[in-house]
Amino acid sequence: MFSKLFEGRHRGHGCDEERGDRHGRHDMRRGGRHHFGDHGDRHERGERVQRLFEHGDLRRVLLALVAKKPSHGYELIKAIEEASSGLYVPSPGVIYPTLTLLEEQDFLEAVATGNGRKSYQITEAGKVELAQHQAAVDVIFARLAGAARPRGGNLAEEISDAMHRLRSVLRANFMRGDLSGEHVARVNAALVKAADSIEAEFTAIDAELKAKAARDTDEI
DNA sequence: TCGAGTTGTAAGCAGTCATC
DNA sequence: GATGACTGCTTACAACTCGA
């Protein structure tokens, strides 16, 4: 089955099987495919994209999740989504290569489940690795939970609902052919205004939190 | 049979880290 | 400081399973 998968994929993408790179990548800074909705433009505007996971965090999270319960890739994506109350859903493109890496490092062991899915379970080496970084893992999960922290009502859920609504509205109207340039400009202005407003809120929140932290330090 | 859901890989970008 | 390797991330795509 997997050989079939590979066959199809290589046909589909016309890529080179002999690439040495662990993740099957070329030097990606050269040349390339056209990218729609590419995140490169964020950087062009000078914005910094904040990563949820720092160096190696994702691997530890996956190790911890698999240690709790042997799972396949999709289950792990769902588990992380759940841990963050839906605010962060890792892409398959980051989960599967990372699982492969952990398998290569003997931290995880792949188990064929019979239905074509590959389930992963933690190895002894994986348990040792996890134990060594248990504190870091706790911090990462606390951060995930913090991102989704319910305070009375579930804030993350509300934001998530609003995001889904926004996405639905845009998708529903995205391909309309009856919009003039002025219409597009109006919608764009509304989006920019909303983004500015949200950014301002977070800036204010950061300032509040900093001030609170400073007060707490003084009290100590 | 068809479509939705699931699993997995490829291509590509940018940030971070290690090495020289 | 420059450079290359590694890492996290996204989108696109193909193949498979399963239920309607």
Side-chain angles (χ1 to χ4, degrees):
Chain A
M1 172 209 165
F2 287 110
S3 58
K4 254 191 169 178
L5 282 174
F6 278 110
E7 195 183 86
R9 229 156 265 134
H10 286 306
R11 219 187 308 121
H13 292 283
C15 55
D16 180 9
E17 287 184 41
E18 293 302 308
R19 275 181 273 95
D21 193 307
R22 190 178 43 72
H23 280 253
R25 304 168 196 218
H26 308 277
D27 181 352
M28 297 158 188
R29 284 165 187 80
R30 280 194 300 270
R33 199 176 64 167
H34 183 69
H35 232 225
F36 293 99
D38 187 22
H39 38 281
D41 53 354
R42 287 180 302 204
H43 301 281
E44 278 168 27
R45 289 196 302 271
E47 274 178 46
R48 268 184 73 90
V49 180
Q50 199 171 12
R51 289 181 174 188
L52 183 66
F53 292 124
E54 289 165 15
H55 235 64
D57 280 1
L58 181 64
R59 276 172 291 166
R60 287 170 201 142
V61 166
L62 291 177
L63 265 183
L65 289 171
V66 172
K68 271 187 204 163
K69 175 176 168 272
S71 313
H72 49 75
Y74 190 73
E75 278 182 319
L76 293 167
I77 292 173
K78 291 290 171 193
I80 294 174
E81 181 182 6
E82 204 173 306
S84 66
S85 283
L87 273 189
Y88 174 63
V89 185
S91 301
V94 66
I95 293 297
Y96 294 114
T98 307
L99 286 172
T100 305
L101 171 65
L102 288 169
E103 189 186 354
E104 281 174 9
Q105 291 176 329
D106 290 329
F107 293 151
L108 292 182
E109 190 179 23
V111 183
T113 55
N115 54 359
R117 296 177 190 179
K118 221 162 133 186
S119 188
Y120 288 90
Q121 62 185 29
I122 196 161
T123 62
E124 285 306 314
K127 285 176 190 169
V128 171
E129 171 75 7
L130 186 60
Q132 279 173 356
H133 297 99
Q134 190 56 53
V137 171
D138 290 343
V139 168
I140 298 162
F141 276 103
R143 205 162 64 214
L144 274 178
R149 182 171 34 243
R151 218 170 253 171
N154 191 337
L155 176 64
E157 211 166 278
E158 285 172 25
I159 293 175
S160 182
D161 285 349
M163 282 165 62
H164 280 115
R165 195 178 148 206
L166 174 62
R167 194 185 303 177
S168 303
V169 171
L170 288 172
R171 273 194 179 154
N173 293 281
F174 189 65
M175 297 303 285
R176 285 176 59 170
D178 58 345
L179 298 181
S180 68
E182 193 220 325
H183 293 144
V184 173
R186 271 163 56 189
V187 172
N188 185 47
L191 285 171
V192 169
K193 194 176 162 190
D196 286 347
S197 167
I198 292 166
E199 203 170 23
E201 285 300 332
F202 278 116
T203 305
I205 289 166
D206 282 343
E208 280 172 30
L209 292 177
K210 261 187 192 166
K212 184 177 179 298
R215 279 201 304 276
D216 290 348
T217 312
D218 285 348
E219 280 170 22
I220 297 167

